[in-house]
Amino acid sequence: MKKMLLVFAVAGMAFGFSSCKKDYTCECDGTVVGTFENTKKSDAEDACDAMNTFGTYTKCEVSEK
């Protein structure tokens, strides 16, 4: 019984520490300007913000694909 509990605890910790990577799109002013596959949301948001470095767009946001 203790061995099973240990196995479940280790599996739960491994799942808890894994990052949640999904597919995201960067949409600026109603136009999709980029897609990010298998990426963390924070990384997709940073990349989307970087696409607007010259202030070309008024509003950019990341949404799940």
Side-chain angles (χ1 to χ4, degrees), residues 23-59:
D23 296 342
Y24 296 97
T25 59
C26 176
E27 188 172 315
C28 297
D29 297 335
T31 304
V32 175
V33 294
T35 58
F36 311 102
E37 296 178 355
N38 199 22
T39 307
K40 291 189 290 185
K41 186 173 184 177
S42 60
D43 292 340
E45 289 172 338
D46 291 344
C48 187
D49 289 341
M51 289 183 173
N52 195 22
T53 54
F54 298 110
T56 307
Y57 305 106
T58 57
K59 182 180 179 186

